[in-house]
Amino acid sequence: MHCRMNLTFKSQIFFLVAVCLWGRVEANIDSEDYQVPLLPENNSSSVIKDSALHWKIGAANDALKAGFSSLASRLYLELMSETNLSYEIRPETILNLVTALISEGRYDEALQILESYPDRADSAYHLRQGLLAFQRGNRKAAEDAAASIVYIELSLSDQPWYYLLNGLIQEANGNQSEAISFFDQARDHSMTETQRAQFEAVSYRSRLVSGFADETLVADLKAKLNASKGERAGYQFARAYATALEQMGRKEDAILVLEEQLKYISVDERDLEDQLLLLLGLIAGEKSDRGKSAFQTLLREGKNRNLQKVGLLLLAREALANTPTNNFKLVLDDLIAQTVKHPLLDELYFFRALIFLETNRFDLAESDANSLLEQFPGSVLNNSAIRLLAYISWKRDPPQYRTTADYLNKLRAGLSAGRDRWHLAVLMADCYYLNLDYDKAVDAYNLAISEMPSGEGGGRLLFQQVMASIKAGKIESAIALLEDAKSFEGIHHLNRWKAEWNLINEMKSQGQINEAFSRLHNLIGESETVLIPPELKLRLMWLEAQLSIEVRQAEETPLLADRILNTLNDIPDHTITDSQRDQIISQTLLIKGQALYIIEREDEGRKVFDDLREQFLSAEPTILSYLFESRYFAAINRIVDAQQRLIAVVDRYPESKYAPMALWEAAIYAERRGLNSTYQEAVAILERLINDYPQLDFIYHARLRQADISRKLNDFGTSQLIYEGLISQYPQHPERYRAEISLADSLLAQSSQNPARIDEALAILERLVDLPNLPVDLGAEAGFKWGFALSLQENYLRSQEVYWQIITRFLMKAPSSLVFKAQGRYWLSRSIFELGTLFEKEERYEDAREIYKLILDYDLPGLTLAEAKIQNFSSI
């Protein structure tokens, strides 16, 4: 029969398990969260990823609608590589990417992407198939594809492209009037002003490449141009002649013809100048300096607002295609600064805001977007400007989630019901969640669910609503939502498990530990009758075993652990990977071994740990088993065994993240043994920590501890050097003041051999007390030691003044908000007793009595001693 642990000791072991799994090590050394088998990523990280995906979808769609095909294609290509792009969204992304690539003239890439579209009978597929066929010169295939399109099946954003395709086909067939009608309908059905300008550009560009010029036509147009020079018709022939030259591959000749005409254009024909400039830019190309110059001249001097809009779009599209160039920004600066307000000023503000946004100059982008909204309240770009402001708020560091949500809500108000409005509701809910406004997030997710378009999976939204309820502390609401989720087909089982996990932890944090454990039992019981994926069942069983330790029912844990291992044996290999299987086994063995130690079956626990270490030599649970054993042995005062386990971690796993933590604890245990030899051992262990892991943040604490131990060894010279080194090397470290006070202690300890050390210590302590930002506990300590150092010099009068200064400053005149820890209260009590003792030596008993009464008045340490002294004075 083994004896049972007493309750106090058993509590210590449960605490040590908690530290091993979830806690922190002394001196702010973090011990990372213990890995849960198959645990998905942190939920906030998941929300940020999902939000980023929605932002990118919205940005790409906006870029496409606005005619920024290069920017749109870049964003859509990034989306295609996203692993969390759902199967519902991917087909639409393919179509939009193909549209953007067609707009850019990247037909081969567009065709390759289109081949991955899943529904070949879809009218949207036939539309893009037709556009690509036409642009690649296969007019028959384009006509067949157009004939296969059912117009009513097309989305609103696809309808203008349908009219454009038919216009191009009719134009190529020589049916000019029908072509013009289709082109007009394409413009009329455009989603935005900038998209309308885009179709103008596509129409112009298509006319350049789809004609059938030959040498006879070129010669005829040249003759007509020469015959009509100086006449209005001559400029029209110049346009046709330049177009024909372009079709014949004589691009440079076409450019020279147009540049020559622009030199001599008369005042009466200035209305034709805009057309010539646009044609020149299209032939030269927006990537060329001549093309850019033509479009810039059109923007500065043009009269036709629609053609200017086309020029601006092409310049902006080129500038935003990759990394925005400063040249386009300078053009925008010049146009915005004109005395006479430019007719496209709202668009100029918007494009410059995009340039600023692309180069992360958020304040300037925000300023231009607000200028657009303030100066042009009726602009068609207002919604785009609001979306841009929302995106800026979301992109800031740190993100301004609440501001983003406000912008999104404002943007939603201007949209009719549909997918775009729903996307904004999702983003808004995510912003509230990430801003920790969980009550608002619950309502916002509910709104998003209510507005969800058909065909969308709402499982993530329902899960997020559950998570928001949990984090808002609304346990009953979360439970009700989860009960509903059982019949909600869209919610993923992993999401439900994550929600259950967080719900149970929230129940624990609210003190509902038994209820949490009971719910977990029910969930596992449910797995016997409801089809639940085996990996989910394993997670729940693991949580049950881990929770059994936390609820202090470790007697059950070994049996629960064995059930996990048996269940794992029944799961087919293809269900989980080998690494996941090993992770479950190793962590289950760790929990089982811990429980056996806790219930005093140490021999069995050691055998489980031996099995763990043999099967999984380098696994994290193996390392944690050594750490657990070290804390277990430390709790029962087997310090040497505890220290040996820690050194074993360092020797066997020097690259582990736990190795420096193990060295730190080994040094603490060596110091705890209290012998000069073990003090020296502790110093040596800390030196190993510093040398082997110099990049870690707690090196400062290791040096500080070395100095403190050196003082215990009466090696004050060494401690002084270490403290001085820390102060000079880390002048801004939060523990700097602790090092300075300790330096003063070392100096005072050397004063018997060198009285001058007292003056050095006094200078340090006096300066510390005068610092306005010194923590109050350290201020009380420094003040006491200042007064004590003065007493060493027998300067009792000044010592009394310092003690009184500290007492009045930190007690009698201190603001009510001043809160002392135990350490500060101890030093204040010491100051009172030292001052009282000095008064007693001068036989000022009444003053001493009043001073000692402060111990009672402020409930400071030493109440019994103070009462005894006060009682003694009554008989004097």
Side-chain angles (χ1 to χ4, degrees):
M1 288 287 291
H2 59 270
C3 62
R4 302 300 298 171
M5 291 183 182
N6 63 63
L7 183 59
T8 301
F9 175 71
K10 207 167 187 180
S11 298
Q12 287 179 315
I13 295 299
F14 278 112
F15 170 75
L16 289 171
V17 172
V19 170
C20 186
L21 297 182
W22 308 104
R24 294 177 178 269
V25 184
E26 187 177 354
N28 296 321
I29 303 172
D30 291 340
S31 177
E32 296 185 4
D33 284 353
Y34 182 69
Q35 290 187 351
V36 178
L38 310 179
L39 177 66
E41 64 187 330
N42 173 272
N43 187 56
S44 291
S45 300
S46 177
V47 174
I48 290 172
K49 282 187 177 182
D50 287 332
S51 295
L53 189 68
H54 280 282
W55 277 115
K56 192 171 288 185
I57 291 170
N61 292 343
D62 282 351
L64 185 62
K65 290 177 184 177
F68 301 123
S69 52
S70 297
L71 177 60
S73 63
R74 174 154 54 91
L75 293 171
Y76 284 128
L77 283 169
E78 291 176 7
L79 280 169
M80 292 292 291
S81 65
E82 294 281 355
T83 57
N84 57 332
L85 185 68
S86 69
Y87 68 88
E88 297 98 344
I89 299 174
R90 188 170 291 275
E92 181 182 349
T93 304
I94 292 173
L95 292 176
N96 289 337
L97 173 57
V98 171
T99 303
L101 292 172
I102 291 173
S103 297
E104 283 190 85
R106 296 161 61 181
Y107 305 126
D108 291 340
E109 292 178 65
L111 182 61
Q112 184 177 0
I113 297 294
L114 186 61
E115 289 303 308
S116 65
Y117 188 69
D119 187 0
R120 300 297 177 88
D122 189 1
S123 291
Y125 171 82
H126 290 306
L127 172 62
R128 287 155 183 82
Q129 185 185 42
L131 287 166
L132 283 170
F134 182 88
Q135 297 296 354
R136 292 164 64 86
N138 191 341
R139 194 188 314 168
K140 176 65 168 59
E143 291 175 351
D144 291 343
S148 301
I149 297 171
V150 179
Y151 180 79
I152 60 173
E153 293 180 358
L154 295 176
S155 65
L156 291 176
S157 58
D158 273 354
Q159 288 173 7
W161 290 94
Y162 168 82
Y163 290 115
L164 179 70
L165 172 60
N166 282 280
L168 295 173
I169 292 172
Q170 293 301 323
E171 184 179 55
N173 288 334
N175 302 322
Q176 195 63 31
S177 60
E178 288 87 346
I180 292 173
S181 175
F182 278 119
F183 288 144
D184 287 344
Q185 289 187 77
R187 286 188 290 270
D188 292 343
H189 284 76
S190 297
M191 302 292 290
T192 64
E193 284 291 318
T194 46
Q195 190 185 53
R196 187 170 292 113
Q198 178 193 29
F199 283 121
E200 289 276 10
V202 171
S203 176
Y204 274 109
R205 202 182 293 279
S206 296
R207 291 171 186 179
L208 287 177
V209 300
S210 62
F212 302 96
D214 53 27
E215 292 295 344
T216 302
L217 176 62
V218 168
D220 180 54
L221 290 172
K222 181 178 180 181
K224 290 179 179 179
L225 171 61
N226 290 333
S228 57
K229 280 186 176 179
E231 300 176 7
R232 185 175 181 86
Y235 298 108
Q236 302 287 8
F237 285 126
R239 291 173 56 201
Y241 181 36
T243 300
L245 288 170
E246 162 67 15
Q247 293 170 7
M248 293 294 293
R250 295 165 59 183
K251 181 176 182 176
E252 185 63 28
D253 291 340
I255 292 173
L256 291 175
V257 167
L258 293 171
E259 289 179 338
E260 183 70 16
Q261 293 300 311
L262 286 167
K263 289 180 183 177
Y264 303 108
I265 197 164
S266 66
V267 175
D268 293 337
E269 281 80 29
R270 293 303 292 271
D271 60 313
L272 299 176
E273 182 179 19
D274 291 0
Q275 298 179 31
L276 294 176
L277 285 169
L278 180 61
L279 184 59
L280 173 58
L282 289 170
I283 291 176
E286 58 264 37
K287 297 181 184 296
S288 70
D289 291 339
R290 293 160 92 176
K292 291 175 184 175
S293 177
F295 291 141
Q296 290 171 18
T297 303
L298 175 60
L299 283 173
R300 290 191 180 95
E301 303 175 7
K303 306 300 180 187
N304 187 317
R305 188 177 185 275
N306 289 331
L307 298 186
Q308 284 183 306
K309 189 186 291 287
V310 175
L312 176 59
L313 169 69
L314 294 174
L315 282 174
R317 189 167 65 178
E318 168 60 21
L320 291 167
N322 296 299
T323 301
T325 61
N326 194 46
N327 292 337
F328 182 57
K329 186 260 182 187
L330 293 176
V331 172
L332 295 173
D333 289 344
D334 180 51
L335 294 172
I336 290 172
Q338 287 180 352
T339 304
V340 178
K341 186 179 292 187
H342 196 282
L344 300 177
L345 183 56
D346 56 340
E347 299 192 39
L348 299 177
Y349 276 131
F350 181 69
F351 291 140
R352 191 169 70 173
L354 287 179
I355 293 290
F356 287 139
L357 178 62
E358 283 286 294
T359 52
N360 293 323
R361 289 179 283 182
F362 296 140
D363 289 340
L364 294 173
E366 192 172 62
S367 176
D368 274 352
N370 282 320
S371 294
L372 190 162
L373 294 171
E374 292 166 4
Q375 297 180 35
F376 302 93
S379 172
V380 294
L381 290 172
N382 278 4
N383 280 349
S384 296
I386 295 171
R387 185 187 290 272
L388 187 146
L389 289 170
Y391 185 66
I392 290 171
S393 299
W394 187 76
K395 286 285 288 183
R396 286 189 181 277
D397 187 14
Q400 299 174 354
Y401 292 123
R402 181 60 184 269
T403 303
T404 305
D406 291 342
Y407 280 127
L408 293 172
N409 198 29
K410 184 176 182 180
L411 189 58
R412 289 183 71 256
L415 296 177
S416 56
R419 188 175 298 275
D420 287 345
R421 182 181 170 94
W422 172 70
H423 266 298
L424 294 177
V426 173
L427 283 174
M428 185 173 70
D430 287 343
C431 284
Y432 284 132
Y433 185 89
L434 293 170
N435 198 53
L436 313 184
D437 293 339
Y438 297 121
D439 287 322
K440 288 182 176 293
V442 171
D443 295 336
Y445 283 122
N446 191 54
L447 175 65
I449 291 171
S450 69
E451 293 185 352
M452 185 172 60
S454 60
E456 290 289 342
R460 188 190 84 87
L461 298 180
L462 181 59
F463 165 69
Q464 285 303 138
Q465 188 179 16
V466 173
M467 289 297 301
S469 297
I470 292 170
K471 291 186 177 290
K474 298 180 177 179
I475 298 299
E476 297 304 320
S477 297
I479 291 174
L481 287 168
L482 277 172
E483 291 302 316
D484 292 341
K486 292 179 182 179
S487 58
F488 192 90
E489 295 182 359
I491 194 165
H492 196 277
H493 61 80
L494 292 182
N495 281 342
R496 183 190 168 194
W497 173 77
K498 285 196 296 182
E500 293 285 4
W501 174 276
N502 285 276
L503 173 61
I504 290 167
N505 278 287
E506 180 63 26
M507 293 170 73
K508 287 162 51 183
S509 69
Q510 291 192 14
Q512 302 179 28
I513 188 74
N514 293 324
E515 293 86 345
F517 200 39
S518 174
R519 181 172 183 83
L520 191 52
H521 273 300
N522 292 336
L523 288 170
I524 294 174
E526 179 185 333
S527 69
E528 302 298 328
T529 57
V530 178
L531 182 60
I532 294 180
E535 65 271 21
L536 170 57
K537 183 176 181 179
L538 281 173
R539 292 188 187 100
L540 295 174
M541 293 175 69
W542 188 93
L543 178 58
E544 182 185 28
Q546 190 268 328
L547 191 59
S548 67
I549 294 181
E550 294 191 34
V551 299
R552 307 196 175 196
Q553 297 184 24
E555 291 82 359
E556 299 181 21
T557 309
L559 178 60
L560 295 174
D562 288 338
R563 287 178 182 172
I564 294 173
L565 297 174
N566 292 333
T567 301
L568 187 61
N569 290 332
D570 296 333
I571 293 179
D573 290 339
H574 69 273
T575 305
I576 57 176
T577 65
D578 290 342
S579 62
Q580 290 171 335
R581 187 180 294 271
D582 289 347
Q583 186 186 40
I584 294 171
I585 295 172
S586 60
Q587 293 178 9
T588 301
L589 289 175
L590 174 63
I591 291 176
K592 180 179 179 180
Q594 289 170 341
L596 289 168
Y597 272 96
I598 291 170
I599 61 178
E600 297 184 81
R601 291 157 62 180
E602 182 180 323
D603 291 341
E604 295 177 66
R606 186 180 301 110
K607 289 179 182 178
V608 171
F609 280 168
D610 287 343
D611 187 25
L612 168 64
R613 293 162 188 170
E614 182 179 348
Q615 290 188 59
F616 307 98
L617 180 63
S618 301
E620 183 174 280
T622 297
I623 302 172
L624 290 174
S625 71
Y626 287 105
L627 296 178
F628 172 83
E629 277 190 328
S630 73
R631 290 161 182 169
Y632 171 85
F633 290 136
I636 58 177
N637 208 31
R638 290 166 57 180
I639 304 301
V640 174
D641 289 335
Q643 192 175 334
Q644 288 175 346
R645 294 301 188 277
L646 294 168
I647 296 301
V649 169
V650 182
D651 290 342
R652 297 175 188 181
Y653 312 100
E655 303 300 322
S656 168
K657 62 185 177 182
Y658 298 105
M661 179 178 68
L663 276 175
W664 174 267
E665 292 190 21
I668 301 303
Y669 291 152
E671 180 185 0
R672 179 172 159 183
R673 289 159 66 186
L675 303 174
N676 279 354
S677 60
T678 59
Y679 287 152
Q680 292 167 352
E681 184 182 357
V683 170
I685 293 173
L686 290 169
E687 190 65 28
R688 180 180 177 183
L689 171 61
I690 292 165
N691 292 333
D692 291 355
Y693 305 98
Q695 77 281 6
L696 298 182
D697 293 338
F698 57 87
I699 295 303
Y700 187 97
H701 296 282
R703 283 291 186 208
L704 196 62
R705 196 82 180 207
Q706 275 187 320
D708 293 342
I709 296 172
S710 295
R711 284 164 54 197
K712 292 182 178 181
L713 288 166
N714 295 322
D715 187 359
F716 300 109
T718 297
S719 66
Q720 176 185 339
L721 289 174
I722 295 175
Y723 291 134
E724 288 175 342
L726 289 174
I727 293 166
S728 63
Q729 293 176 42
Y730 305 94
Q732 304 302 321
H733 197 279
E735 294 290 319
R736 171 195 170 91
Y737 302 127
R738 165 56 53 206
E740 292 193 67
I741 291 177
S742 297
L743 173 59
D745 290 338
S746 292
L747 293 169
L748 290 174
Q750 300 174 65
S751 62
S752 59
Q753 287 79 31
N754 186 355
R757 294 298 193 196
I758 298 181
D759 290 330
E760 296 177 46
L762 282 170
I764 293 172
L765 295 167
E766 183 176 2
R767 182 182 61 80
L768 286 173
V769 171
D770 288 340
L771 290 176
N773 58 342
L774 186 71
V776 291
D777 295 286
L778 292 180
E781 180 180 354
F784 167 78
K785 291 178 177 179
W786 181 17
F788 181 76
L790 289 167
S791 294
L792 291 178
Q793 290 184 325
E794 299 184 0
N795 190 350
Y796 300 120
L797 182 59
R798 178 61 177 145
S799 178
Q800 291 176 28
E801 292 174 355
V802 169
Y803 286 137
W804 181 246
Q805 175 186 338
I806 296 303
I807 293 167
T808 55
R809 173 179 169 184
F810 290 116
L811 279 181
M812 303 173 70
K813 295 182 179 179
S816 58
S817 59
L818 206 60
V819 178
F820 286 91
K821 298 177 183 176
Q823 177 187 1
R825 292 167 54 78
Y826 167 80
W827 291 114
L828 287 172
S829 180
R830 288 285 303 273
S831 292
I832 291 172
F833 278 112
E834 287 295 327
L835 180 56
T837 300
L838 290 175
F839 285 161
E840 287 186 59
K841 288 180 180 179
E842 296 176 357
E843 298 184 355
R844 296 165 56 185
Y845 300 119
E846 188 59 34
D847 291 338
R849 187 199 336 254
E850 292 302 314
I851 286 297
Y852 291 135
K853 284 179 62 179
L854 293 175
I855 298 291
L856 280 60
D857 293 342
Y858 291 95
D859 193 24
L860 294 173
L863 282 171
T864 303
L865 179 58
E867 288 173 345
K869 283 183 172 290
I870 293 171
Q871 184 66 32
N872 288 338
F873 293 144
S874 64
S875 60
I876 296 177

